[in-house]
Every structure is written in structure tokens, then in C-alpha cells.
Amino acid sequence: MNRLISGAVAVIMAGSITFPSMAKDNFDYHVDRFADIEVLRYKVPDFEKLTPRQKAFVYYLTEAAIYGRDILWDQNNAANLQLRTVLEKIYTDYKGDRNSKDFKAFEQYLKQVWFGNGIHHHYSTDKFVPGFSRDFFAEQYKAAGFTDKAVLDNLEDVIFNPKRYAKRVNQADGQDLIRTSASNLYDENVTQAEVEAYYASIKDTTDLTPVSYGLNTRVAKVDGKVVEQPYKIGGLYSPAIEKIVENLQKALPYAENDAQKAYTQKLIDYYTTGDLRTFDEYSIMWAEDTASQVDYVNGFIESYGDPLGMTGSWESIVNFKNIPASHRTEVISDNAQWFEDHSPVDKRFKKEKVKGVSAKVITAAMLAGDSYPSTPIGINLPNANWIRAAHGSKSVTIENITQAYDAAAQGNGFNKEFVIDAPTAKLLDDYLFITDNLHTDLHECLGHGSGKLLPGVDPDALKEHGSTLEEARADLFALYYLADPKLVELGLLDNPEAYKAEYYKFMLNGLMTQLMRIEPGKDIEEAHMRNRQLIARWAYEHGKKDNVVELVKRDGKTFVKINDYNALRDLFGQLLAEVQRVRSEGDYEAGRKLVLDYAVKVDPALHNEVLERYSHLDIAPYKGFVNPVYTPVFDSDGNITDVTVSYTEGYTTQHLRYSRDYSPLTK
Ligand code: ZN
């Protein structure tokens, strides 16, 4: 539930004492461009300053990360791995004209499939539409040496039949969300009602420390009975999980301290048994280790891929702490109780004691599974509410990723097209980078960890709207406090007006520019986008009588104009209080109404205008990354003495290499 992804294309710049300067460097961030995607490269600053032992630990963790790739592909759709194998063989074997229309379209499709970790768009979760012909595919299938006609028929249907597997995650109100979602987290025969009845039968609602039901299982119907099939050694995805465990074991001797060794061993135990109690034990130990510099996430974590929000998609992020930048988040965390006490939320819904909100700025060293190629810019884990309440959580901002986004976006024309006037553009130039980072820090360090459920309220009570409302809660907490003089007092901002930069960008994005990610005629589906529109639309509508925010027309173009920033902050505070009430009381009906009234529907005229204006800028709506390549240096006893990092691998090369060398589920 707790990852923050990048807003619409970042609008940036700014040097400041607290933040790394966005000065131009010679690093080439741009790697590839196709369809609606731009692939970038990120730097891993200060990797060379890690000790040889830390580098060795990182190295084996990166291996464990890449080995999980196939798991996510299969979770996303049952046909993905087989299709990938066929597409890649066709791609590498192809003897014809590589500039022909069919081949170019085929290549684009393959690049999209790599980016989506399967046949669905990573963000909209709609199935990709191929630009090549069925005949071309059938011909190349044969030319690549494949002979199985049944496989060909099936893959043709998967690629070309728009009705088959149309959407990976369907959230449409009132439909059977399991039957209409194409992910492989549930058997094709099982219905939403059956799954809900099954979980209702095993959930102990009096348990104050419940496991995360369904987190590491596929639900299937066997002999007429609903059963869970665990992902573990000896269970589903065993060959991949064995490779993950093998590399975690190799990493163990290089752990920085006993605590890190102990939770890594616990993770191995969990992968071995599939026991969710063990996962909780691991999560607690992991959350409590704040001493290690190197850190990692590896497992079935976020449940956005499940229409019911239960099963975790496999992911891994290997990282290490950016010590100077972490000072910023430490200051925020140290003052967590002050922020909780002063929030505009009803006292009944506040935590008397905010515990262990740890926060740091990290440098990503490897992105994998559900965090690759598209990646979050902040994470806040673990997800289990009772663990967060009793043991705290870790919040991180991944600054080398935000830095890469920002550097790659320089001079792309966005501000010129969409920002209302020169003073506002100047405000964004001066303060957006710092306030955007602070927004992420506040969202992750304080927002998700704030507030409490009333006794007896089911944490899943908001059901399919839970993710959207949870993100809204964290964003509103951040927005409310960005404008607070406390931030200047704490030395986090040097100008009490700085917050206006983030307010402007947030309203512009939520009301208008994020629409460039939506196809004409479609609703908003993704939780973070729903959250942003919910907040922006709600504030716009509720501020109308006082003219707080306007949409003004100039030369036929719409611009966001904020007339009263103070009043806007007030509105954010009011909505925060309401969303927290909805969450604390588990008021499903009120939450559903908020989402349906403000977050889903799009003004078609404004939508078309945004798409039109965007199309002239040639900015890819979505961005993702290739990973660096790590090469270990061994001594004569086989111990790692150093690890070097290189930034030269391309997008296609990287995916083909991963499929060739790290694909335990297709062999
Ligand atoms: Zn979040």
C-alpha cells in the first residue's frame, strides 16, 4: 500500500544548500524511447566509497534480486513467460529486414512487454495492442524453430484477441474483479465471491496481530474447493525462489552486523516454509534494523496487482543509505510526535504515541521485479498495520532515482507550455526540487504512519478504494505540513513561501497534466492517480465559492491559477481530516463516494486539450530504468575483494541478458 511513484513528468531545477545541486553533468541519462515510454539510466553515487564487505553484500543481493524477475512475469499473467521466450527467440533469430514495418512494430511490442513485465501496460494494466500482423508472427514463430501448433494458436490468441486477458487489474465498480482481471494471482475458475468467502472463513477478526492473508499465495479451485498455493521452496516458483535463497545465503557472511544477518536468515526461512508468521517476524527485525548502511527489500510486498489488494507482487530493491541527505528525513522523524499532535485530524483518530518512524534517503543499487523498469521514488514498509503501530516502519526516499528523473527532464518545454506565468515558473525553478523531495519525505516518514484505526475496525474495510484513500491520506498530510512554518523553523526550508511551488505543481498535475497518461475516453484507474485527482478536484470544487483555485482560459489554452494559497492549505487540512475519519472508522460508503465523485471521471474536453498540448512536447508519459552492471573481483580463495559498476548496458541487451542468465522458470 505504501509506495510513492513519480508524479507526471517532473518539472525541475534548483540548487539549494540542503539538496544536491541539479547542475549539468556529462552522464547520459537517456537510454531508449518507444511507444509512451522513455528508458533512463541512474547513477549510483558513492558506491565506490562502500567497504569491500558492503560491496560484496550488495553484489549477492543484486543477484538475488535479478533471479526473481520471472516470478513477477508469471504473477502478472499465465502466458507471459512462454510468450517472452518466443518473442525473444524471434527477435534474436530474425533474418529479414530489421527496418521493415512489421519488424519495427514487433520490436516495439517486445520492448513494451519487457517494460510491462508481460503483456499488460505497467500503469493502465491494459493489454498492449500489437502493430504487426498475425501472419508475420506465425511465420516468424516457425522461422525461429518452434513447431508446437497448440502453443502458436494460444499465443496468437493472447496477442491478437483483444477480449482475452484485456486488463491485468480490473477495478471497475460492480464487476467480478477476479474473473475480469487477467493476472495469475487467481485461478481462472475462481470467482470474487468464492475468494471473499474463503478469506472470511480463515480470517480471525479478533486477532490483534493478523498475518497478511494471501500475501504469498495464488488462490485456485481444486476439486471444487478453494485453496491457496504458496510461493515457496517446493511450492509455486520453487526454481526461482531457490536461486534467490542461494544468493541470500552467499550474501550472509558479508552482512554488516548480526541484526542484518539474523533478518536475512529469517527471510530465507520464510522462503523455505512460506509461513506468513515467519514473514512477520522477518518484517519486525527488518524494520528495527536502522543501523546498517546497506539495506534491501526482497519478497512479495505490494498488493496493487491484486484487485482485492491481498497478494504481493514480487519485487526487490537493493540500496544503501545516503548519509548526508538522510539528515533531512531524520529531522522530520525526530519531530514526528509534534506533527501528529498538530494535524487537523480529530483527536480520536490520532496516535497518542507515534513510534519508531525511521526515515532515510537512499541510493538504489538495483531495481527488480515490480520495481523494474518502472520504479517508485519512495517506499514505506512493512505494510502490516499492527507491525507499523508496534514496531515502526522504514521510510525511504530514493534520491538517485528522483535525481535521474530531474536531470533527464531539463529543458523539455513542460513549464513553458503548462505553467501559467513567469513568476510561477520561477517559483518552480527555485523551489520545486526541494519541496518535491520534502513532499516525498513527509508522505513516507509521517503520512502513512500517522493516525489510527478505531478499535475493531477492519484494516481492509475500504476494500477496493483502500489504496487510493491511503495514498490520499499520506499526500494530504504532506501537503498540509509543507506550508507549515515549522519546516522553516526546523531548517528544512529557507523560505516560508517555498511550499507554493509544490502546491502549484500538485494542482496542475492533479487537475490537468496527469491526464496525459490516460487514453481518450478512459477513466482513471491507478490508485496514485486517483488519489491525486481526488485531492485536486475536491479542493478545486470546495474552493469555488471563494475562488481559491481557477481554471483560466488564455488563447484557447487552460491554465491552473491559484488565487489563495492559504485557503488551499485549509482545504487540504479539511480533506485530510475527512479521509482520516473514513479510514479510522472504516466508513466504506463515504470513502467510495469520495473516490467515485472526484477521483475516477475525467473531463473529456480538458483531457483532449492536455493530450494535444502534450503531443507537441514529445515527452514520454512514463519513464523507467535500466540497471547498472556489477562485476565482482575475487581473490584466489574465491572471496570478493571488490565490485565494479558500469553504466553502459542498453535496454534490449539488459533484458536479453536477464532472460538468458537469470530465468529459472523458463528453463
Ligand atoms: Zn504512499
Side-chain angles (χ1 to χ4, degrees):
M1 295 256 283
N2 298 314
R3 62 158 50 185
L4 190 71
I5 45 177
S6 172
V9 177
V11 220
I12 318 296
M13 284 261 336
S16 121
I17 36 162
T18 333
F19 290 86
S21 140
M22 288 283 93
K24 266 211 160 44
D25 54 38
N26 291 324
F27 192 80
D28 188 3
Y29 294 91
H30 303 272
V31 176
D32 207 343
R33 176 75 208 267
F34 49 88
D36 54 357
I37 301 293
E38 179 168 23
V39 180
L40 305 172
R41 196 186 295 290
Y42 61 94
K43 284 195 279 197
V44 189
D46 294 337
F47 178 77
E48 67 288 349
K49 289 188 186 153
L50 297 178
T51 65
R53 187 190 170 104
Q54 287 175 318
K55 287 182 192 171
F57 192 55
V58 167
Y59 174 73
Y60 285 119
L61 293 174
T62 65
E63 290 287 291
I66 309 173
Y67 270 118
R69 175 171 176 255
D70 283 358
I71 297 176
L72 179 74
W73 280 70
D74 193 74
Q75 284 186 302
N76 281 348
N77 184 269
N80 278 340
L81 286 174
Q82 188 174 47
L83 180 69
R84 189 185 77 198
T85 302
V86 169
L87 294 177
E88 288 176 350
K89 184 96 175 16
I90 291 175
Y91 181 80
T92 47
D93 283 13
Y94 187 71
K95 301 278 188 311
D97 177 5
R98 288 191 167 247
N99 288 315
S100 68
K101 200 169 153 283
D102 266 334
F103 186 79
K104 280 280 170 209
F106 174 83
E107 182 179 40
Q108 168 165 315
Y109 180 77
L110 175 56
K111 285 181 174 183
Q112 288 178 291
V113 168
W114 280 328
F115 201 90
N117 291 293
I119 54 176
H120 300 98
H121 192 279
H122 70 287
Y123 211 79
S124 72
T125 83
D126 292 329
K127 195 165 80 163
F128 294 122
V129 179
F132 53 94
S133 69
R134 193 182 270 254
D135 287 348
F136 175 84
F137 180 71
E139 240 167 70
Q140 297 312 318
Y141 181 84
K142 269 188 226 117
F146 296 107
T147 51
D148 191 324
K149 177 79 168 72
V151 171
L152 175 62
D153 288 346
N154 182 50
L155 291 183
E156 281 188 359
D157 195 52
V158 167
I159 299 171
F160 297 100
N161 176 358
K163 293 209 174 73
R164 172 99 175 270
Y165 297 147
K167 201 165 183 64
R168 179 161 61 80
V169 190
N170 180 30
Q171 303 273 26
D173 206 39
Q175 298 182 8
D176 183 323
L177 303 182
I178 303 263
R179 293 298 277 270
T180 53
S181 293
S183 82
N184 189 26
L185 305 176
Y186 298 90
D187 190 301
E188 287 186 83
N189 303 313
V190 71
T191 66
Q192 183 178 351
E194 286 169 334
V195 172
E196 286 174 345
Y198 168 76
Y199 280 118
S201 78
I202 63 161
K203 266 191 183 179
D204 175 359
T205 48
T206 62
D207 188 351
L208 297 176
T209 60
V211 295
S212 302
Y213 290 99
L215 188 68
N216 65 339
T217 60
R218 178 174 186 268
V219 176
K221 210 162 165 188
V222 178
D223 300 330
K225 274 185 76 174
V226 175
V227 295
E228 285 182 82
Q229 302 171 322
Y231 308 141
K232 62 170 188 171
I233 289 185
L236 281 185
Y237 306 141
S238 190
I241 295 174
E242 286 163 40
K243 294 302 285 186
I244 293 169
V245 164
E246 180 189 317
N247 282 284
L248 291 176
Q249 264 156 351
K250 286 183 183 166
L252 268 181
Y254 298 102
E256 282 181 68
N257 50 53
D258 288 345
Q260 189 167 57
K261 194 171 280 181
Y263 78 68
T264 300
Q265 182 59 53
K266 196 56 99 173
L267 180 61
I268 292 170
D269 296 347
Y270 160 61
Y271 273 133
T272 309
T273 61
D275 186 342
L276 285 171
R277 286 274 167 221
T278 308
F279 180 67
D280 285 347
E281 286 164 28
Y282 152 80
S283 299
I284 292 167
M285 293 160 77
W286 176 80
E288 289 180 344
D289 171 29
T290 50
S292 309
Q293 187 183 3
V294 177
D295 202 352
Y296 67 98
V297 173
N298 184 308
F300 303 95
I301 309 292
E302 304 288 356
S303 54
Y304 300 109
D306 179 351
L308 300 187
M310 306 199 68
T311 303
S313 299
W314 192 89
E315 71 168 300
S316 184
I317 297 179
V318 184
N319 63 82
F320 56 93
K321 187 172 176 179
N322 175 338
I323 292 166
S326 294
H327 172 70
R328 193 176 75 220
T329 49
E330 280 155 13
V331 169
I332 291 173
S333 284
D334 288 347
N335 289 278
Q337 193 66 53
W338 185 92
F339 287 102
E340 182 77 359
D341 293 346
H342 291 80
S343 89
V345 159
D346 189 314
K347 212 164 174 293
R348 294 177 300 139
F349 311 137
K350 288 187 187 181
K351 283 200 177 106
E352 294 76 18
K353 269 214 154 19
V354 186
K355 259 194 216 166
V357 184
S358 102
K360 58 184 175 178
V361 177
I362 61 167
T363 301
M366 178 64 65
L367 310 167
D370 205 26
S371 291
Y372 167 88
S374 171
T375 196
I377 54 171
I379 41 179
N380 183 320
L381 293 170
N383 279 332
N385 278 306
W386 69 267
I387 297 180
R388 302 165 69 80
H391 303 276
S393 61
K394 276 191 207 172
S395 283
V396 305
T397 306
I398 313 174
E399 199 146 289
N400 62 326
I401 296 298
T402 56
Q403 188 272 338
Y405 278 130
D406 298 347
Q410 281 185 31
N412 66 12
F414 177 92
N415 281 9
K416 210 166 181 279
E417 179 60 40
F418 288 104
V419 174
I420 186 162
D421 52 29
T424 309
K426 166 101 169 76
L427 184 71
L428 297 180
D429 276 353
D430 290 346
Y431 285 106
L432 189 56
F433 186 69
I434 180 169
T435 53
D436 225 14
N437 275 287
L438 272 172
H439 178 115
T440 308
D441 298 338
L442 290 163
H443 175 116
E444 298 292 346
C445 304
L446 303 179
H448 282 304
S450 73
K452 65 174 183 192
L453 300 181
L454 292 185
V457 170
D458 179 356
D460 300 327
L462 303 178
K463 293 190 243 186
E464 73 274 24
H465 304 302
S467 294
T468 298
L469 292 164
E470 176 58 18
E471 291 312 320
R473 199 172 71 87
D475 261 354
L476 285 161
F477 199 94
L479 289 166
Y480 180 77
Y481 277 118
L482 263 180
D484 201 286
K486 187 76 177 174
L487 298 192
V488 179
E489 187 192 304
L490 292 172
L492 297 169
L493 287 172
D494 61 5
N495 181 342
E497 311 281 294
Y499 76 94
K500 293 178 179 175
E502 181 68 8
Y503 274 30
Y504 189 82
K505 191 214 80 172
F506 193 94
M507 293 303 287
L508 173 62
N509 187 42
L511 291 173
M512 291 180 55
T513 48
Q514 74 165 357
L515 296 178
M516 56 94 189
R517 295 174 167 213
I518 304 289
E519 284 175 39
K522 295 234 161 115
D523 288 344
I524 298 181
E525 307 260 3
E526 198 276 336
H528 294 84
M529 287 183 73
R530 283 188 169 185
N531 142 47
R532 295 190 196 108
Q533 178 167 301
L534 195 171
I535 294 172
R537 274 272 155 207
W538 189 96
Y540 171 72
E541 299 288 347
H542 286 74
K544 253 187 183 160
K545 64 175 182 343
D546 299 320
N547 204 22
V548 177
V549 179
E550 275 180 281
L551 289 172
V552 299
K553 282 267 188 194
R554 197 180 288 167
D555 302 330
K557 289 178 175 180
T558 309
F559 291 90
V560 171
K561 182 162 182 259
I562 298 180
N563 295 313
D564 188 342
Y565 280 92
N566 269 325
L568 183 56
R569 187 197 182 202
D570 248 29
L571 290 165
F572 289 152
Q574 288 169 33
L575 184 56
L576 171 60
E578 172 60 6
V579 172
Q580 182 62 57
R581 183 198 67 75
V582 165
R583 165 109 178 114
S584 292
E585 296 180 349
D587 188 345
Y588 172 79
E589 275 312 318
R592 176 172 175 272
K593 190 163 173 2
L594 270 179
V595 173
L596 296 188
D597 285 354
Y598 298 100
V600 179
K601 291 289 168 205
V602 167
D603 171 352
L606 188 58
H607 186 193
N608 286 335
E609 182 195 321
V610 168
L611 290 176
E612 215 283 315
R613 288 164 68 184
Y614 230 96
S615 66
H616 299 293
L617 294 177
D618 195 34
I619 299 172
Y622 302 97
K623 292 183 171 60
F625 293 90
V626 292
N627 285 310
V629 179
Y630 296 90
T631 311
V633 181
F634 294 95
D635 66 13
S636 54
D637 299 326
N639 301 309
I640 293 182
T641 56
D642 195 14
V643 177
T644 61
V645 52
S646 89
Y647 301 107
T648 51
E649 192 167 43
Y651 178 69
T652 296
T653 334
Q654 182 153 93
H655 282 279
L656 290 174
R657 180 171 67 87
Y658 284 177
S659 297
R660 188 188 67 222
D661 297 343
Y662 296 88
S663 186
L665 299 185
T666 62
K667 297 293 182 289

